[in-house]
Amino acid sequence: MFPWTLAVLCVLCAVTSASEKCTVPADQRSLVTKLQSTMESYIVPQSPPNPSILIALNLAGAQDSKTEKLLVAQIKERIIKEGTATMTSGEVALYVLALLSSCEDPKHVTAHISLVEVLKLKTEEELIHLSSHGKPYTTFYQLGLDTLALCLEGVDVNDAAVSLAKMALAKDFSMDTGAMATLALTCVHNRLVKAKQSRILAAVQEALNTLHQQILRAVETNTVNIYSLGLALQALSVTSTSYPSGEWSCSQTLTKVFNEISQGTFNNPMAAAQILPSLVGKTYLNVNRLGCFPDKITVEYTIINYLRGQHFMYTIFVTVPKGSVLLAVLQAADQANPQYFSYKTEQTSWGLMIVSINYCAANANDKTYWKFYNGTKPLDQGVESYIPANNEHIMAEFSKY
Ligand SMILES: *[C@@H]1O[C@H](CO)[C@@H](O)[C@H](O)[C@H]1NC(C)=O
């Protein structure tokens, strides 16, 4: 029934206005699924990490969670092994969006790598270069991507937004740049409205209006490169409700896209990744709202003392925000059941130490201490640095050294 509703809507949108959702009619749906499968088939363990494909996959609804997991693993491995120093700001931004789309926290790729912090610095460099040279260190397209990713992560990007808005009014952006700037400025616009901030709102709105008109004109007159059409459609879909236009026919544009798909134009996985989101009515603004569980993880926590005094073993399952350090698990357990899971800490030159759990205290003369495990593996980090993963089993065993 759902696809029928869409089909009816799209007939209407052809005769009335572009403000209706512009998505695929029911009888063409299989073409989209096929395109997605083709794209997924390119992902193999040896392939280089591809954040664009991961984003497209998640926006379209991953058909195969193995492919999604593989892509996430490839992305993380690249970041950890090669670092972020040689990556451009836009690459980092794409990685942030890709991780977000898979419900991963880009602030904690590892305990020590926050891609969001890296992106803040690289965006700052872009802006400094822009103010001294009149152009960003890389490109306006990348600055748009940076602004979008940071905005979705809740970072204040007003400076970048003002720069983008000014440039959008001063010069003609290419289609891709204009569309990316539209997505970024829409994110900022929505946040400003929500926070009841008006200082830069007018400038952002004016830029969005101008960009929308430019993109619309290009799509109407068929002057958009076929590979830029996906992003153009995303941009139009986020601005068409606030800036309605009676001219553009979404169904005509889609018909053109379908002809191209059946001719194999989008068989290249990157080309497919560019067009897929718009075909299912999604945009890069949606990567943050893909129905991730509200950022919580569950950890099984067991405390054991078979060494001294009254022996005990207790287990509890606690839920903590994703990215929390182990100490948060101890706190949650204490809060849920203080009778067994109370603990004491001491600040030492090694960092915070757990000196007592369930009234069983470490003792230097006796050479006893609380040893922590992830499953059966001893932890090599303290409770303030170690970040447990979802469904992990953390064990604390009273031990001797
Ligand atoms: C904990 O151990 C499991 C199984 O060995 C491993 O997959 C996981 O990455 C470990 N967790 C952390 C945060 O290192």
Side-chain angles (χ1 to χ4, degrees):
M1 181 202 135
F2 176 61
W4 270 110
T5 322
L6 289 180
V8 171
L9 274 182
C10 229
V11 170
L12 285 178
C13 91
V15 289
T16 56
S17 84
S19 61
E20 306 293 351
K21 264 251 168 288
C22 183
T23 45
V24 175
D27 56 346
Q28 309 269 31
R29 200 77 210 195
S30 60
L31 212 52
V32 178
T33 315
K34 213 168 129 236
L35 184 67
Q36 190 175 339
S37 303
T38 309
M39 185 181 77
E40 288 189 28
S41 69
Y42 278 90
I43 306 303
V44 291
Q46 301 80 30
S47 51
N50 194 318
S52 300
I53 290 183
L54 182 55
I55 296 169
L57 208 63
N58 284 321
L59 287 175
Q63 290 174 348
D64 174 5
S65 70
K66 260 194 293 188
T67 310
E68 187 198 344
K69 286 208 180 90
L70 178 59
L71 279 161
V72 170
Q74 287 173 337
I75 284 174
K76 286 186 171 177
E77 191 181 296
R78 154 90 209 267
I79 297 166
I80 292 164
K81 279 205 176 137
E82 293 174 36
T84 51
T86 58
M87 290 168 80
T88 67
S89 68
E91 275 181 281
V92 178
L94 214 46
Y95 277 45
V96 167
L97 291 173
L99 290 174
L100 271 179
S101 76
S102 270
C103 299
E104 295 280 333
D105 184 358
K107 287 197 186 85
H108 297 102
V109 179
T110 69
H112 304 289
I113 303 179
S114 165
L115 273 195
V116 176
E117 288 306 314
V118 172
L119 183 55
K120 277 192 209 159
L121 290 175
K122 292 197 186 256
T123 305
E124 197 56 39
E125 280 168 19
E126 299 278 10
L127 291 176
I128 289 169
H129 200 274
L130 178 60
S131 69
S132 58
H133 293 73
K135 54 182 199 287
Y137 184 64
T138 60
T139 59
F140 280 110
Y141 177 85
Q142 296 201 32
L143 184 58
L145 203 50
D146 304 342
T147 308
L148 174 63
L150 288 175
C151 174
L152 287 175
E153 269 293 273
V155 176
D156 182 336
V157 281
N158 286 0
D159 289 349
V162 168
S163 301
L164 275 178
K166 270 193 198 151
M167 282 301 156
L169 294 170
K171 60 186 277 181
D172 269 349
F173 279 155
S174 73
M175 179 54 57
D176 285 337
T177 303
M180 188 50 78
T182 299
L183 293 172
L185 290 176
T186 301
C187 176
V188 174
H189 175 272
N190 295 347
R191 279 191 47 203
L192 292 171
V193 169
K194 213 165 151 191
K196 298 197 168 66
Q197 282 179 15
S198 55
R199 196 171 53 80
I200 65 165
L201 194 58
V204 169
Q205 241 155 6
E206 195 189 349
L208 278 173
N209 203 4
T210 302
L211 287 168
H212 179 73
Q213 293 306 330
Q214 284 170 359
I215 296 169
L216 192 58
R217 209 173 309 126
V219 172
E220 278 169 2
T221 54
N222 264 327
T223 50
V224 184
N225 177 302
I226 191 76
Y227 297 114
S228 299
L229 203 50
L231 212 50
L233 289 176
Q234 286 193 36
L236 286 180
S237 82
V238 296
T239 45
S240 60
T241 30
S242 25
Y243 308 98
S245 155
E247 308 297 317
W248 170 54
S249 154
C250 134
S251 59
Q252 268 175 27
T253 306
L254 284 182
T255 304
K256 183 177 153 188
V257 172
F258 283 129
N259 284 336
E260 297 283 353
I261 292 177
S262 42
Q263 287 165 32
T265 308
F266 291 100
N267 280 0
N268 173 294
M270 275 307 278
Q274 298 297 335
I275 196 77
L276 257 179
S278 57
L279 296 182
V280 293
K282 294 274 175 54
T283 78
Y284 279 10
L285 290 177
N286 295 120
V287 300
N288 233 357
R289 302 180 215 111
L290 291 174
C292 308
F293 281 109
D295 288 341
K296 299 272 189 183
I297 59 161
T298 301
V299 175
E300 184 181 359
Y301 173 50
T302 301
I303 54 174
I304 302 169
N305 167 25
Y306 287 154
L307 194 62
R308 295 280 184 270
Q310 178 94 49
H311 292 187
F312 59 80
M313 173 160 109
Y314 299 113
T315 290
I316 190 170
F317 285 87
V318 297
T319 304
V320 294
K322 198 172 171 180
S324 299
V325 294
L326 179 54
L327 188 60
V329 170
L330 270 67
Q331 283 164 347
D334 183 8
Q335 220 163 40
N337 191 344
Q339 194 192 343
Y340 297 144
F341 290 95
S342 68
Y343 66 95
K344 281 209 185 87
T345 61
E346 215 168 81
Q347 200 57 250
T348 75
S349 51
W350 296 86
L352 198 71
M353 299 288 280
I354 303 297
V355 291
S356 162
I357 296 177
N358 192 22
Y359 308 103
C360 175
N363 183 319
N365 296 328
D366 197 17
K367 297 195 171 169
T368 48
Y369 76 118
W370 277 99
K371 184 170 182 177
F372 284 85
Y373 298 84
N374 163 19
T376 54
K377 243 179 16 213
L379 297 190
D380 52 9
Q381 286 175 301
V383 290
E384 280 179 297
S385 351
Y386 182 77
I387 297 176
N390 194 26
N391 295 326
E392 212 163 275
H393 186 187
I394 297 290
M395 222 160 47
E397 181 169 25
F398 198 53
S399 310
K400 265 182 88 86
Y401 56 87

